[in-house]
Amino acid sequence: MIGNRAVAQLMKSQTSPNIIQPVRSSHPTVQSNPSGQVIQRVAHSVINLTDASVTAKEGAKGLSWDEFSEEYKDLKEKADGGATTIKLTDNQTRAIVYIDDVIVQTLAKTNGKWYEESLDDYEPDEVEYVLDRTAPEDSDGLVLAKRLKDEMGEDISEAELKQLYKSVSDLPTIAKAMDNMVGATPYEWSILFTRLKEGPSRSIIAGVLEAGNGHFTIATLLQQLNTNPSTAIDRVTIAATWGNNDTYLHYAQNMAISKESSEGRLRGTRLAAAVELGEAITWNRPQADRNYVHGADPLAQPRTGFITATIGGVPISIHAHWYRLSALGHVAGKITSAHVQFAGANDLEINQWSFLNGLMTEIVAQFNEPGGHLPSTDNGIGNLTITV
């Protein structure tokens, strides 16, 4: 029988676009020096407040006691009055404060100022493992590693742990990601583990899973980290407002939806997904087609048709163009373009996207549906059948 890890490795070797592939992070990763000692991605300095000394760990910028006292006045003021040691980590933007060997405080630097964080976000053994690679006497002290191991049903090697534990700031985001894996299979936990080791930033992974929890399947959420991971949280958040079905997220991904997307693009993409799912949509033709004054070849009678779809109380206006006559190289009734219109301006050009062919087919069917304002034929005499 193939184990979960073997399945995950087999998955990673495939080239199919439908297979979830690990995404390489743009951030520095854990690596080894010639001596074989692991170098942390995030270095730190240890400040001994008792004997006024500073020790820079590997990769950290050298720092004297005088420099620390001058550059970190605010930090010294914020630190617990009984503190004996401070460890600067996460590129000197986070401080772990100790009294003897016990963590009593965590501070983070924001806009040049130090602010206290909640200690509840950190397991002491996990913090020590990140900072010093100090394994706890009881391996279950690495709570996140134990949770992953239990869910995956297999061991995690020491080398993999060193990749997993990279930064103190990663710990709460890893926990958040795991909290939003409710109902995941062991296979999907293996995929998450691969992501946490090799994928985009942990905050993105956690954000995607949190935004999509209860709306989309775990497998589809993890797949969002393959393409444009920097916009994945926004994409999942937007798609979740459309409906609780993976189809909405697939459309959002294929249409590269982000918070920068135009309103017309958002509405058109949502409508296309709803059409595929057979959701309740109210269609109407609010007015008769009319002459398209900007259309080429006036003798073929260029026309503009109007149709509106309403879904979830949101109206989506669509304008389409065709010619009445089969003349001058045109085919009567064949749509030459269709676009979503918002706030009086043309937006998403539906016919330019093969992924939206299902929506185009539905638009044509709605134009031909019996009722008022059917497309008009030559000089407005009779009805014209619209085609794609």
Side-chain angles (χ1 to χ4, degrees):
M1 180 179 293
I2 300 177
N4 294 330
R5 182 61 46 73
V7 171
Q9 294 302 320
L10 177 63
M11 174 205 70
K12 289 161 62 178
S13 70
Q14 304 300 312
T15 58
S16 167
N18 296 321
I19 297 297
I20 300 175
Q21 302 289 343
V23 180
R24 294 293 176 185
S25 173
S26 60
H27 298 287
T29 55
V30 172
Q31 52 187 315
S32 294
N33 63 19
S35 68
Q37 183 178 4
V38 171
I39 301 173
Q40 292 177 225
R41 182 190 70 167
V42 181
H44 65 283
S45 299
V46 179
I47 296 93
N48 188 320
L49 299 174
T50 303
D51 63 16
S53 65
V54 180
T55 303
K57 292 290 187 176
E58 290 189 56
K61 178 182 177 182
L63 188 69
S64 70
W65 174 258
D66 288 341
E67 288 172 330
F68 169 75
S69 300
E70 179 64 28
E71 296 176 19
Y72 292 89
K73 287 180 180 178
D74 188 32
L75 172 59
K76 290 179 69 176
E77 292 174 1
K78 293 285 186 180
D80 185 280
T84 58
T85 307
I86 297 175
K87 292 185 180 180
L88 287 174
T89 185
D90 291 354
N91 294 323
Q92 322 300 347
T93 62
R94 183 167 273 99
I96 312 298
V97 182
Y98 297 76
I99 294 180
D100 297 327
D101 295 326
V102 179
I103 297 174
V104 295
Q105 194 178 27
T106 306
L107 299 118
K109 192 175 187 178
T110 304
N111 296 325
K113 296 292 184 180
W114 289 92
Y115 300 95
E116 190 163 4
E117 294 185 309
S118 170
L119 283 173
D120 294 338
D121 290 339
Y122 305 96
E123 289 291 338
D125 284 336
E126 242 121 6
V127 173
E128 294 306 307
Y129 192 85
V130 171
L131 296 179
D132 300 317
R133 293 292 183 249
T134 304
E137 293 182 7
D138 180 359
S139 59
D140 287 350
L142 297 178
V143 175
L144 300 181
K146 182 179 185 299
R147 285 181 63 190
L148 278 170
K149 174 183 174 181
D150 290 346
E151 296 290 351
M152 294 164 60
E154 57 185 81
D155 289 333
I156 300 174
S157 71
E158 182 69 16
E160 289 172 321
L161 283 180
K162 289 174 180 177
Q163 286 183 288
L164 178 65
Y165 289 91
K166 296 176 182 177
S167 165
V168 173
S169 63
D170 285 336
L171 298 180
T173 52
I174 292 174
K176 183 191 293 183
M178 295 168 68
D179 289 342
N180 286 285
M181 289 283 284
V182 179
T185 65
Y187 176 78
E188 289 166 343
W189 278 101
S190 294
I191 303 306
L192 174 67
F193 181 56
T194 300
R195 287 286 174 273
L196 291 172
K197 288 195 305 170
E198 304 175 14
S201 75
R202 272 61 180 281
S203 61
I204 291 177
I205 296 170
V208 164
L209 290 168
E210 183 178 40
N213 187 10
H215 302 283
F216 312 114
T217 63
I218 296 295
T220 297
L221 291 173
L222 291 173
Q223 193 173 30
Q224 291 302 305
L225 302 168
N226 288 341
T227 307
N228 299 326
S230 63
T231 59
I233 296 176
D234 292 333
R235 187 164 60 248
V236 172
T237 300
I238 291 168
T241 67
W242 297 344
N244 300 337
N245 190 291
D246 284 357
T247 298
Y248 286 107
L249 192 48
H250 289 315
Y251 269 83
Q253 181 174 3
N254 276 277
M255 294 301 292
I257 292 302
S258 74
K259 64 181 180 182
E260 307 300 328
S261 297
S262 66
E263 186 63 31
R265 190 184 189 92
L266 294 172
R267 294 188 182 203
T269 301
R270 176 186 183 181
L271 177 60
V275 166
E276 180 170 321
L277 289 168
E279 301 278 17
I281 303 171
T282 301
W283 295 90
N284 66 79
R285 298 185 295 269
Q287 65 186 84
D289 59 281
R290 66 188 184 197
N291 178 50
Y292 179 37
V293 295
H294 301 295
D297 301 324
L299 293 178
Q301 297 185 21
R303 308 295 290 177
T304 299
F306 307 88
I307 196 166
T308 300
T310 302
I311 176 171
V314 177
I316 303 169
S317 298
I318 297 169
H319 295 186
H321 301 293
W322 60 79
Y323 289 86
R324 278 174 167 173
L325 303 180
S326 295
L328 303 173
H330 304 293
V331 176
K334 180 179 176 62
I335 289 184
T336 57
S337 71
H339 48 260
V340 175
Q341 190 172 74
F342 181 75
N346 291 345
D347 203 304
L348 176 67
E349 195 79 17
I350 300 168
N351 53 290
Q352 291 183 355
W353 296 85
S354 60
F355 193 71
L356 301 180
N357 285 345
L359 177 56
M360 278 298 300
T361 299
E362 180 66 17
I363 288 170
V364 166
Q366 292 298 329
F367 270 119
N368 292 324
E369 184 72 18
H373 302 312
L374 281 166
S376 55
T377 190
D378 185 15
N379 293 319
I381 303 172
N383 299 323
L384 178 67
T385 298
I386 301 301
T387 61
V388 178

